[in-house]
Amino acid sequence: MVRGAERGHPKLREAIAAGYFKDKVRQEWGRMPAMDVTDVYYNKFLLNGQEKSYFKDAKPGEVVRLRIINGSASSYFQLQYAGGPMQVISADGINVEPFPVNKLEIATAETYDVLITVPQMGAAELRATSSDITGFTSGYFGNGDVMKAPDLPRLNYFQMMREMGSMENMSGMDMGGAGMVEQGNGMNGKTDGQMKGMDMQHGTMPAVTAPSPKDRPVNMQEKNGKSIGTMQDMGGMPGMDMGGMGGDFNYNQLRALNPTTLDSTNQWREIKLTLTGNMLRYVWSFDNKPLSKADKIPIRKGENVRMVFQNQTMMRHPLHLHGHFFRLVNAQGEYSPLKHTFDVQSMGTVTIEFEANEEQDWFFHCHILYHMMAGMARIISYEGSPQNEFAKNDYKTLKKEDNVLYPWFDLSVHSQGVYLEGTVSNNYNALEFEGRVNYKGDFETETHLLRYLDNRQFLAAFVGFDYRNNRNLIPEGRRRRTLKTRGSN
């Protein structure tokens, strides 16, 4: 079920009551898409396949290592532990300098390891709350009375709308679902500015040593009705904090154990990509081109590749490059961590660097399943390298996925008549139909074929026709006068 007006698009009367009338008018006048945090509403969230999981074999005082994998299709999670601070020790399976946090945000496909301590008495809750605060899943470590993690406050979508409006024309700033947090930007990992209320943490927190722990894999999934949508690919690292939620973690805290700088004698190639999309028609892309309309991105083995991403959409995007680890350039400079998945906040800019040490073709995409299927993907191709079997046989099929025709129909039956609306559309085209008929045989139909022209898809050229018969709706005497008047003209 796609999110509707209740959360993502506050109504005008609600905005007036909450004192955000001007912000609502500004949003509508500027045709700014509705503020939203998630694409899909889920009514269940799972940890290792269960809403609640119990780890009763965890002994009091024991330090446990958890490998946390966000295996969901599209959900970000806020992670909290009732037994005290968690200590981040690894991201993407690569160790980082340890630091404690009270709350972590983990984006789709991200993975990182933390240490927790089992309480001396009771069972401490490890809670993963969805970013839209609609539900959570829990694991309990220990035995006895339950120690609950704190509840997170509901999101203030009106405040988010105001912050988005004030930030719409500013580049280099990042807007999370409920607030704003600076994100590493440019080669030196510095950020462009800071707004009031932004929760900033630069550098690393003090490293803490701990006893050798046990490994316990934790995999978070999501459930929508009876179906379970999971993606088992282990993605990158914890994501940026959403300021309005009071988070205390951001990428600048991640510091590699050893320098990760690339060989400066290699030739450099810089690639800039803009994250683009249309939330109203649900088309997602890079540089306003979905995968079906885009060419491969060429690189050459042995060179250093720098990729700079600017997110111009109102949504966040966890991006993943297959087959490579890369430097996520942050405030740690030469100690920037190695990753293979990273989150780009709305209106944010992120830079990654890697040595091109593979061959053939590699998939690069947004790891929110629905964004990927709608076109936010590219192929990274090594020049002079023979194509692999996928590129030879399946690439054309892959490029067709975001241009599939999707039908939508709505039939309403009322006491006075029957109403039918229908649309069949893909990235750039739409066939729309509206029909109305009463029980006396009167009917009206409108059919239009549209081709969207601009990047924002506000302008469209169309052809169409109307066909109707309303004779029974006009009284006999009025029909004669109408026909006579028309005849005299």
Side-chain angles (χ1 to χ4, degrees):
M1 179 172 64
V2 178
R3 183 168 309 286
E6 179 182 359
R7 291 187 175 85
H9 199 168
K11 298 178 181 179
L12 180 60
R13 65 175 181 271
E14 296 172 345
I16 295 174
Y20 290 89
F21 172 71
K22 292 183 179 179
D23 301 281
K24 183 62 177 176
V25 171
R26 187 184 305 113
Q27 178 198 28
E28 296 292 344
W29 181 261
R31 301 190 73 176
M32 186 174 72
M35 182 61 224
D36 211 347
V37 177
T38 57
D39 296 77
V40 176
Y41 170 76
Y42 294 95
N43 62 357
K44 298 287 185 182
F45 299 96
L46 309 178
L47 187 151
N48 286 351
Q50 303 293 327
E51 290 187 69
K52 295 183 179 181
S53 300
Y54 297 89
F55 303 91
K56 296 183 178 180
D57 58 335
K59 300 177 181 179
E62 181 182 22
V63 176
V64 180
R65 176 172 180 162
L66 305 177
R67 170 152 292 181
I68 303 170
I69 307 167
N70 187 343
S72 68
S74 66
S75 297
Y76 283 60
F77 290 97
Q78 296 282 342
L79 195 71
Q80 300 166 284
Y81 180 58
M86 299 169 287
Q87 187 174 202
V88 178
I89 61 171
S90 175
D92 260 2
I94 299 178
N95 291 338
V96 296
E97 288 193 6
F99 60 92
V101 293
N102 292 317
K103 181 167 60 179
L104 295 176
E105 184 183 50
I106 178 170
T108 305
E110 294 184 331
T111 298
Y112 57 101
D113 297 3
V114 301
L115 301 181
I116 62 170
T117 301
V118 181
Q120 295 293 337
M121 298 180 62
E125 179 186 21
L126 176 72
R127 179 183 295 187
T129 305
S130 64
S131 60
D132 57 358
I133 322 296
T134 58
F136 59 87
T137 181
S138 300
Y140 300 91
F141 294 84
N143 290 277
D145 295 336
V146 171
M147 300 168 54
K148 290 188 176 181
D151 294 330
L152 295 178
R154 295 188 63 181
L155 302 182
N156 185 342
Y157 280 89
F158 293 112
Q159 181 62 27
M160 292 160 53
M161 179 176 62
R162 173 172 292 177
E163 292 170 345
M164 282 291 185
S166 66
M167 296 287 290
E168 187 179 14
N169 296 322
M170 298 179 64
S171 62
M173 299 295 292
D174 302 295
M175 293 176 282
M180 296 163 293
V181 175
E182 290 187 329
Q183 196 166 349
N185 181 26
M187 292 304 300
N188 57 6
K190 294 181 180 179
T191 50
D192 295 323
Q194 181 172 349
M195 289 188 64
K196 182 179 179 180
M198 297 177 69
D199 180 15
M200 296 302 305
Q201 292 185 8
H202 293 288
T204 58
M205 299 185 69
V208 179
T209 58
S212 177
K214 296 194 302 181
D215 289 318
R216 295 182 183 275
V218 176
N219 181 27
M220 279 173 287
Q221 305 166 351
E222 60 197 4
K223 183 176 179 182
N224 185 6
K226 296 182 180 180
S227 63
I228 300 177
T230 65
M231 299 183 73
Q232 300 299 333
D233 177 27
M234 290 175 57
M237 61 196 161
M240 288 290 294
D241 146 47
M242 299 174 71
M245 296 180 183
D248 59 359
F249 171 82
N250 68 62
Y251 282 167
N252 284 331
Q253 293 174 263
L254 294 172
R255 180 180 175 89
L257 298 181
N258 301 297
T260 60
T261 50
L262 304 180
D263 186 350
S264 60
T265 62
N266 291 343
Q267 184 176 353
W268 281 86
R269 181 191 297 262
E270 181 167 302
I271 300 166
K272 295 183 178 181
L273 288 176
T274 302
L275 283 62
T276 50
N278 185 314
M279 296 177 66
L280 301 178
R281 298 198 65 246
Y282 211 78
V283 177
W284 299 101
S285 57
F286 291 107
D287 294 337
N288 292 302
K289 291 184 178 180
L291 180 63
S292 60
K293 303 294 183 180
D295 296 325
K296 295 180 180 180
I297 298 176
I299 62 176
R300 186 172 293 275
K301 189 171 184 177
E303 63 186 8
N304 296 336
V305 179
R306 177 182 298 130
M307 301 184 74
V308 182
F309 304 88
Q310 184 177 6
N311 184 3
Q312 293 187 351
T313 77
M314 294 297 176
M315 298 294 292
R316 301 170 66 174
H317 303 281
L319 302 182
H320 174 59
L321 174 59
H322 287 221
H324 297 74
F325 283 93
F326 47 75
R327 302 178 72 239
L328 178 68
V329 179
N330 67 358
Q332 302 302 329
E334 64 179 6
Y335 287 86
S336 294
L338 294 176
K339 301 294 174 191
H340 62 63
T341 301
F342 61 98
D343 173 49
V344 187
Q345 292 204 9
S346 177
M347 302 301 166
T349 301
V350 173
T351 298
I352 67 171
E353 300 172 346
F354 63 93
E355 179 184 354
N357 54 10
E358 295 291 341
E359 58 184 16
Q360 299 183 331
D361 293 346
W362 297 91
F363 197 41
F364 174 71
H365 62 97
C366 176
H367 227 296
I368 292 178
L369 176 63
Y370 314 107
H371 295 182
M372 177 183 70
M373 297 297 291
M376 189 172 274
R378 282 289 192 275
I379 299 295
I380 305 294
S381 181
Y382 279 79
E383 293 180 334
S385 177
Q387 288 187 316
N388 52 28
E389 291 301 317
F390 174 83
K392 292 179 181 178
N393 303 319
D394 299 326
Y395 187 36
K396 292 182 179 180
T397 301
L398 178 67
K399 294 188 71 170
K400 292 179 181 179
E401 289 183 348
D402 66 79
N403 206 30
V404 172
L405 290 172
Y406 288 98
W408 173 86
F409 295 96
D410 180 47
L411 178 66
S412 301
V413 180
H414 299 272
S415 59
Q416 72 273 25
V418 179
Y419 303 83
L420 174 65
E421 294 183 45
T423 300
V424 179
S425 65
N426 58 12
N427 283 337
Y428 296 99
N429 306 285
L431 177 63
E432 300 177 348
F433 173 84
E434 293 185 28
R436 298 165 290 277
V437 59
N438 64 16
Y439 300 115
K440 295 181 179 181
D442 300 295
F443 64 86
E444 298 177 345
T445 67
E446 299 178 17
T447 304
H448 304 99
L449 178 64
L450 295 88
R451 172 71 177 185
Y452 290 93
L453 304 176
D454 61 319
N455 290 333
R456 301 185 69 184
Q457 297 192 344
F458 286 162
L459 301 176
F462 71 93
V463 296
F465 64 91
D466 299 353
Y467 182 64
R468 61 191 66 196
N469 179 11
N470 293 329
R471 293 180 59 83
N472 293 320
L473 295 178
I474 305 175
E476 182 68 23
R478 181 181 174 187
R479 185 186 309 134
R480 290 176 180 174
R481 289 193 298 273
T482 301
L483 293 175
K484 182 178 180 181
T485 302
R486 288 178 178 174
S488 64
N489 289 334

